[in-house]
Amino acid sequence: MGNENFIRFPGTKYEALALLYVKSRELSEMSPEQILDAYEDAYKKIMARRKERRSEAFDEE
């Protein structure tokens, strides 16, 4: 049986960075909802920074 339907997580380095950030926090007092919010916030900030840096690099050319 193949792994055609197998989903890898993290699938990108940006997902991995967001996960590492959340894992570096103190999670024992956080609810699952708060952990999800922390991951999604980190991911959004990482992607915004990526877009910003790509734009800056484009402007420099």
Side-chain angles (χ1 to χ4, degrees), residues 9-56:
F9 179 81
T12 67
K13 63 182 174 183
Y14 308 108
E15 291 174 349
L17 287 169
L19 180 60
L20 285 171
Y21 174 76
V22 172
K23 287 175 74 174
S24 73
R25 299 181 63 186
E26 177 58 48
L27 302 178
S28 64
E29 300 297 321
M30 294 175 73
S31 70
E33 295 88 353
Q34 291 171 316
I35 294 170
L36 173 63
D37 290 345
Y39 173 82
E40 289 181 342
D41 289 345
Y43 183 78
K44 287 176 188 175
K45 288 178 182 179
I46 289 166
M47 295 310 290
R49 180 63 178 147
R50 176 181 180 244
K51 183 177 180 180
E52 180 183 307
R53 293 197 55 190
R54 289 179 70 158
S55 177
E56 290 171 358

